[in-house]
Amino acid sequence: MKNTTKIIFPYDQSVVKELPLIDKGSVERILTTAYNLFIDQQNWISAFKRIEILEKAALIMKDRSEELIHIAISEGGKPYKDSKAEILRAIKGVKLAAEHILHIKGEQIPMGLTEASVNRIAFTSKEPIGVVAAVSAFNHPLNLAVHQIATAVAAGCPVIFKPASSTPLSGIALADILKEAGLPEGWLQVVLCDNETAELLVTDPRINFLTFIGSAKVGWSLKSKLSPGTRAALEHGGAAPVIVESDADFSEMIPDLVKGGFYHAGQVCVSVQKIYVNQEIVDLFVDQFSEAVQKLIVGNPFDENTDVGSLITPKEVNRVEEWVNEAIEEGAKLIAGGKRISDTTFQPTVLLNPSEDSKVSKYEIFGPVVCIYAFASREEAIKKANALEVHFQAAVFTKNIDVALDATKKLNATAVMINDNTAFRVDWMPFGGRDASGLGMGGISYTINEMTREKLMVFKSKSL
């Protein structure tokens, strides 16, 4: 009897589908298929054909957008309005991948600058890096798949895609669409497997590039075991700090931060988590922020009015509840929420001044919880914001350009949003963590570039 994985609707824990897992014996076949396609350049898909495939795939996705929304909700539990936004982003991502193929190019390297380099002309070209292993996360099941699969197709690489075991259906749907759009057999293989089998696959020497989205513990462990020469891009989480100064515009800021904190029940790697507010306005901020949070509708993600859906598993609800209770016991003031609604949902929660030693202050919450800290000194707030090992995206709210530039310079982050929440992202911008939060930069064009490598060609001729 083959091992299987059950895909569960997070909101009511009903079984959506049950799929087989591959065993270790299948790994060799999968790797051989991908590797043989790559080493024989006659198999390579020409640039114009890759453009055709991706453009057709985007059209199919658009035609089936409601079906893709339904799939994403059923496996991930993200509310309808947010799942719809994800699917539209995913379609745009596939289009961006097709468009970037035009920009996969090298450059001329100057010669004749020394006597030894005369009579030569040189230029670089870009080639596919090789077989890509892509390991994905649960929280954006279609859009993350696009960022790891469509980019590999655009770069001309065979790709082996391992979706999160809880949310594989969107990736499988994308694979079916790409096949329908003309992607030849073997260029994309979707594998469902346990962690041990996944490690066996991604650490094989025939893997040229690993793209990993998930926990830091797993990501850094896999990187340490990669074969020599295998390149990697890792995207982990953060604790998204926000600095709010006394001149911030409340009418813009409050709805923006509420959305950034509770989108997908906070299960976003750049979700607003820690808000440092100037003590001159902290009471007003707490009142308006908590009032807006308490208006959020928690419920069935298929309901178009739902703002906050379920967490991915009941285990995560238990963890969030424990962290919140611990924070309150250690001195945090509960401003809003704080309790589970059901086995799968938790109230949008606001905590004021939790201890810096509480888990909600030290680690990524990945749940519907936002912490507010009053500060007297912006320097001290930034110091606390930078104190964790994780550094991803941050934000500052102020109308003073000097304050904005000062905070941007001093915050340890790969991106700082000014008068916008930390969860802002468009798929053509660079996106990724630094330090413990990751390695390399995501974003459609940036990932495609990561999946290529340069080759230098030098011509020597007396005629030059």
Side-chain angles (χ1 to χ4, degrees):
M1 180 71 179
K2 277 191 172 183
N3 289 331
T4 62
T5 183
K6 289 182 179 179
I7 293 86
I8 306 294
F9 178 38
Y11 183 70
D12 66 9
Q13 295 295 286
S14 59
V15 178
V16 178
K17 202 164 189 176
E18 187 169 1
L19 296 171
L21 298 174
I22 67 161
D23 54 27
K24 291 181 181 178
S26 303
V27 169
E28 179 60 31
R29 171 182 53 80
I30 292 164
L31 284 165
T32 299
T33 296
Y35 184 68
N36 286 346
L37 285 173
F38 177 68
I39 60 171
D40 184 357
Q41 292 194 13
Q42 290 184 337
N43 290 318
W44 288 11
I45 308 172
S46 61
F48 78 88
K49 187 64 178 175
R50 301 199 303 270
I51 293 170
E52 285 179 4
I53 292 166
L54 291 170
E55 287 180 341
K56 186 174 180 181
L59 290 173
I60 297 171
M61 291 170 73
K62 184 178 180 182
D63 289 342
R64 297 180 191 165
S65 58
E66 281 299 322
E67 179 186 336
L68 292 170
I69 292 168
H70 187 279
I71 291 170
I73 295 171
S74 67
E75 64 180 350
K78 187 187 296 180
Y80 179 89
K81 63 181 78 171
D82 297 327
S83 290
K84 181 177 181 179
E86 178 185 343
I87 271 61
L88 294 176
R89 276 183 61 190
I91 295 167
K92 177 63 175 175
V94 174
K95 292 179 180 178
L96 286 169
E99 291 166 3
H100 187 75
I101 295 173
L102 281 68
H103 303 287
I104 301 175
K105 60 184 181 359
E107 62 179 359
Q108 185 174 344
I109 307 299
M111 291 287 145
L113 304 180
T114 61
E115 186 177 353
S117 63
V118 299
N119 297 327
R120 289 169 177 84
I121 188 171
F123 55 88
T124 61
S125 61
K126 294 283 188 74
E127 296 181 341
I129 193 171
V131 178
V132 170
V135 179
S136 204
F138 77 85
N139 52 340
H140 310 291
L142 184 63
N143 202 46
L144 294 182
V146 165
H147 275 260
Q148 294 176 298
I149 293 172
T151 49
V153 172
C157 299
V159 56
I160 302 166
F161 179 70
K162 182 203 171 296
S165 58
S166 56
T167 57
L169 300 179
S170 294
I172 291 170
L174 177 61
D176 290 341
I177 287 170
L178 283 165
K179 184 177 180 181
E180 185 177 339
L183 186 66
E185 194 72 32
W187 281 86
L188 168 58
Q189 299 177 84
V190 179
V191 298
L192 301 181
C193 60
D194 59 30
N195 291 339
E196 195 175 339
T197 304
E199 183 176 313
L200 182 67
L201 193 153
V202 304
T203 57
D204 189 274
R206 287 166 288 187
I207 296 296
N208 299 90
F209 187 82
L210 168 66
T211 164
F212 174 89
I213 304 172
S215 79
K217 181 180 178 181
V218 176
W220 292 119
S221 175
L222 285 177
K223 182 182 179 296
S224 72
K225 298 173 183 178
L226 294 178
S227 292
T230 301
R231 282 179 15 198
L234 311 176
E235 184 184 306
H236 304 143
V242 179
I243 307 293
V244 176
E245 270 295 358
S246 56
D247 63 344
D249 185 329
F250 275 65
S251 63
E252 294 178 3
M253 173 177 62
I254 295 297
D256 203 36
L257 287 177
V258 170
K259 183 65 177 179
F262 298 99
Y263 166 70
H264 197 13
Q267 298 171 116
V268 180
C269 59
V270 287
S271 175
V272 171
Q273 178 173 323
K274 305 176 76 172
I275 308 178
Y276 296 90
V277 183
N278 189 305
Q279 64 183 14
E280 296 175 6
I281 60 164
V282 69
D283 292 340
L284 180 61
F285 181 89
V286 168
D287 288 346
Q288 292 197 17
F289 186 77
S290 60
E291 182 182 354
V293 168
Q294 290 175 62
K295 291 178 181 177
L296 294 173
I297 298 170
V298 182
N300 190 323
F302 278 106
D303 185 335
E304 294 188 23
N305 293 316
T306 294
D307 298 306
V308 180
S310 47
L311 273 73
I312 191 67
T313 63
K315 181 180 177 182
E316 289 300 294
V317 176
N318 294 338
R319 178 187 59 78
V320 170
E321 183 178 49
E322 289 171 7
W323 286 23
V324 168
N325 288 339
E326 175 199 74
I328 294 169
E329 290 169 8
E330 293 175 349
K333 182 179 180 181
L334 179 63
I335 302 298
K339 297 187 182 300
R340 67 168 62 228
I341 298 171
S342 67
D343 287 344
T344 63
T345 54
F346 197 86
Q347 290 178 329
T349 297
V350 181
L351 298 173
L352 178 63
N353 291 325
S355 164
E356 293 292 337
D357 294 323
S358 295
K359 289 188 180 71
V360 294
S361 294
K362 290 167 64 177
Y363 306 113
E364 182 180 27
I365 298 172
F366 228 62
V369 180
V370 171
C371 302
I372 300 171
Y373 309 80
F375 73 81
S377 161
R378 186 172 67 254
E379 291 289 331
E380 188 61 28
I382 291 172
K383 183 178 178 181
K384 289 179 178 179
N386 290 342
L388 304 185
E389 292 183 348
V390 289
H391 305 116
F392 208 138
Q393 296 198 162
V396 56
F397 283 81
T398 179
K399 295 302 180 182
N400 186 315
I401 189 169
D402 292 327
V403 171
L405 292 173
D406 180 69
T408 299
K409 180 180 178 181
K410 292 174 180 175
L411 283 164
N412 187 1
T414 50
V416 179
M417 308 301 158
I418 299 169
N419 297 321
D420 205 349
N421 70 58
T422 58
F424 173 76
R425 182 186 185 184
V426 289
D427 298 297
W428 54 90
M429 78 186 209
F431 182 83
R434 59 168 61 165
D435 303 323
S437 285
L439 180 71
M441 296 304 290
I444 295 294
S445 61
Y446 296 86
T447 299
I448 293 170
N449 288 336
E450 288 276 303
M451 291 177 178
T452 64
R453 53 187 174 188
E454 283 190 326
K455 178 174 283 182
L456 174 68
M457 190 178 301
V458 183
F459 277 100
K460 181 182 179 183
S461 171
K462 292 178 181 179
S463 300
L464 291 168

